[in-house]
């Protein structure tokens, strides 16, 4: 059986007694050798060095107890590491822990001839080899458990940050939480929203992270109800970012919010993307992914006050300031089914004049009246602008 040793006898009992007497000396020698050979140990804070010393002592004591009962084929318990706080697994890497264990085993090995009772040297060396294997398994288990616990905690923390952004409650505390997850406050941020697949949430989140690493972007992500939400940092193109991350989303629309300056401002991007996702049903032929700003007309019709305000302030007001000719020409052109000649006849001007004014509309608003989709957006903006002007006149 793994871990079983030979029968107990006078030689074995004498070796156990020698081990007990030498435990303190061996632990001190192990610490001295770490200080001499392990550069990372020398620069550690005194508190962590003391904890490592206790772990070394516990390991030697556990070996002594393990060697005392040669007929008990038990594996080494992770309790060897129980003397140290959990935080030590963050301060000491798995590689460093392996070096620490190897150093301690080597120190005991060099003292075998001195510790073992006459005739017990081979038994002690053999037991030490088995113990080294078992302690290696225990070390791996400790770090695996720590990684699992840390992963679960990080997932909860990440979900809190994503939920705060989506709900509009993100504050400095959430920025700090994101920093603890490795978010280094990129200058540009966007939020991508779509339907979550019917798969394990952890697998979905991991797929998003892999895609983000490949695209060299930072992400904070989570599944909120039936929605998959991804906060993306380090991109200047929301649609390109969404395309890079689109594979893990379920079928259906995927909406990218506008770029904002930081994580706290990401609430605006998340609200736009969420409103766009709700409004996508009104535009069944929308591209996938689609920008939230390309859904402004549908969002406005669905009751999104932000979209209504943007259409008025970014389209109607600039046209109003540019002069009545542009507003009138655009309105007539749209009413005449986008006909240059029809608009020219209604306005009593040359078609080239209409063409020039429409180019000015594009320059002023960024939307081209000759494009079907843009024309629809312009039409909705004109309606909302007139309603706004009518409401203002009524209030006076």
């Amino acid at each position: 059986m793994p871990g079983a040793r030979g029968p107990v006898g006078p030689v074995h009992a004498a070796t156990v007694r020698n081990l007990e007497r030498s435990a303190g000396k061996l632990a001190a020698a192990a610490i001295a050798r770490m200080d001499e050979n392990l550069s990372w140990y020398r620069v550690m804070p005194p508190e962590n060095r003391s904890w490592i010393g206790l772990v070394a002592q516990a390991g030697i004591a556990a070996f002594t107890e393990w060697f005392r009962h040669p007929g008990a084929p038990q594996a080494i318990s992770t309790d060897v590491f129980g003397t140290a706080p959990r935080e030590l697994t963050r301060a000491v890497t798995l590689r460093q822990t392996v070096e620490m264990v190897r150093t301690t085993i080597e120190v005991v090995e060099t003292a075998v001839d001195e510790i073992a009772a006459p005739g017990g040297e081979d038994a002690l060396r053999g037991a030490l080899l088995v113990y080294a294997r078992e302690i290696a398994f225990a070390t791996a288990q400790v770090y695996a458990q720590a990684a699992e616990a840390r992963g679960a905690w990080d997932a909860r923390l990440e979900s809190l940050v994503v939920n705060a952004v989506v709900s509009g409650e993100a504050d400095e505390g959430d920025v700090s939480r994101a920093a603890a997850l490795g978010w280094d406050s990129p200058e540009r941020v966007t939020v991508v929203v779509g339907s979550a697949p019917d798969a394990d949430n952890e697998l979905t989140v991991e797929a998003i992270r892999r895609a983000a690493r490949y695209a060299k972007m930072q992400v904070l992500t989570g599944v909120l109800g039936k929605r998959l939400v991804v906060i993306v940092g380090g991109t200047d193109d929301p649609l390109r970012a969404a395309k890079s991350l689109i594979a893990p989303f379920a079928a259906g629309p995927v909406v990218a919010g506008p770029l904002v300056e930081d994580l706290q401002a990401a609430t605006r991007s998340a609200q736009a993307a969420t409103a766009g996702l709700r409004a996508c049903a009104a535009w069944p032929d929308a591209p996938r992914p689609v920008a939230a700003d390309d859904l402004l007309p549908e969002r406005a019709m669905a009751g999104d006050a932000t979209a209504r305000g943007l259409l008025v302030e970014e389209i109607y007001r600039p046209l109003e300031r540019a002069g009545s000719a542009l507003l009138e020409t655009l309105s007539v052109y749209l009413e005449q089914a986008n006909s240059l000649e029809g608009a020219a006849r209604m306005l009593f001007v040359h078609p080239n004049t209409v063409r020039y004014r429409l180019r000015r509309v594009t320059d002023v608003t960024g939307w081209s009246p000759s494009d079907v989709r843009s024309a629809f957006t312009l039409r909705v903006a004109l309606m909302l602008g007139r309603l706004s002007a009518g409401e203002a006149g009524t209030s006076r």
Side-chain angles (χ1 to χ4, degrees):
M1 286 184 174
R5 276 78 67 199
V8 176
V11 172
H12 180 274
T15 300
V16 171
R17 288 194 297 272
N18 291 342
L19 272 172
E20 290 174 334
R21 286 194 295 266
S22 303
K25 179 181 175 182
L26 290 172
I31 294 299
R33 185 170 295 188
M34 287 182 214
D35 192 60
E36 179 182 351
N37 297 335
L38 305 180
S39 58
W40 58 265
Y41 176 79
R42 289 194 296 271
V43 299
M44 292 191 82
E47 182 182 9
N48 287 344
R49 285 161 59 100
S50 67
W51 282 120
I52 289 175
L54 288 176
V55 170
Q57 292 176 31
I60 294 171
F63 170 66
T64 302
E65 189 61 27
W66 182 82
F67 186 72
R68 184 192 305 277
H69 305 288
Q74 76 273 19
I76 302 302
S77 168
T78 56
D79 288 344
V80 168
F81 301 93
T83 54
R86 288 184 179 180
E87 291 78 5
L88 196 63
T89 58
R90 290 182 179 268
V92 182
T93 66
L94 178 57
R95 178 185 62 80
Q96 291 170 341
T97 303
V98 169
E99 290 178 348
M100 177 187 73
V101 170
R102 181 187 296 127
T103 300
T104 305
I105 295 294
E106 287 173 352
V107 165
V108 178
E109 272 188 314
T110 59
V112 164
D113 291 335
E114 177 185 344
I115 296 170
E121 295 86 355
D122 289 343
L124 183 56
R125 285 193 182 92
L128 195 59
L129 286 174
V130 175
Y131 183 83
R133 182 194 67 190
E134 299 291 349
I135 200 70
F137 287 132
T139 302
Q141 185 178 351
V142 166
Y143 275 83
Q145 289 172 342
E148 185 177 353
R150 187 160 58 245
W153 171 252
D154 286 352
R156 288 194 293 271
L157 196 63
E158 187 170 9
S159 182
L160 285 173
V161 173
V162 172
N163 187 65
V165 168
V166 172
S167 63
E169 299 173 355
D171 55 21
E172 287 293 341
D174 294 296
V175 174
S176 298
R177 295 182 189 98
L181 295 167
W183 180 269
D184 65 2
S185 300
E187 292 182 357
R188 293 190 179 95
V189 178
T190 184
V191 178
V192 181
V193 180
S195 297
D198 293 329
D200 184 276
N201 290 349
E202 291 183 9
L203 295 178
T204 299
V205 167
E206 184 54 36
I208 289 288
R209 291 191 183 120
R210 283 198 303 271
R213 284 194 296 270
Y214 182 79
K216 295 180 171 56
M217 298 182 299
Q218 296 184 59
V219 295
L220 295 168
T221 184
V223 177
L224 305 182
K226 295 182 178 180
R227 289 178 182 167
L228 175 56
V229 180
V230 187
I231 303 169
V232 186
T235 181
D236 56 2
D237 187 336
L239 278 181
R240 187 171 61 198
K243 287 177 183 176
S244 300
L245 304 173
I246 203 167
F249 284 86
V254 174
V255 183
L259 282 177
V260 292
E261 61 272 19
D262 55 32
L263 186 63
Q264 283 184 265
T267 287
R268 298 200 307 271
S269 185
Q271 289 173 343
T274 302
L277 189 65
R278 287 195 298 266
C280 258
W283 187 13
D285 296 325
R288 185 177 188 267
V290 61
D293 284 352
D294 289 341
L295 287 157
L296 285 175
E298 289 81 7
R299 287 167 53 193
M301 291 180 181
D304 182 1
T306 299
R308 294 170 65 94
L310 287 172
L311 287 169
V312 172
E313 296 302 323
E314 295 185 1
I315 295 179
Y316 185 81
R317 298 292 181 222
L319 288 174
E320 192 177 42
R321 288 192 294 270
S324 59
L326 292 189
L327 273 175
E328 182 184 22
T329 299
L330 175 61
S331 178
V332 171
Y333 174 75
L334 294 175
E335 292 299 330
Q336 293 298 311
N338 294 20
S339 168
L340 281 171
E341 290 75 13
R345 285 195 299 271
M346 293 296 295
L347 294 168
F348 301 104
V349 296
H350 194 276
N352 284 342
T353 301
V354 175
R355 186 177 287 108
Y356 167 77
R357 290 177 182 174
L358 294 178
R359 283 201 299 268
R360 286 281 297 129
V361 169
T362 303
D363 293 340
V364 169
T365 66
W367 299 83
S368 172
S370 60
D371 175 79
V372 174
R373 177 67 193 174
S374 294
F376 173 62
T377 302
L378 291 166
R379 183 185 291 275
V380 174
L382 288 182
M383 289 189 296
L384 291 173
R386 290 165 184 154
L387 287 172
S388 175
E391 290 170 359
T394 302
S395 64
R396 287 196 296 270

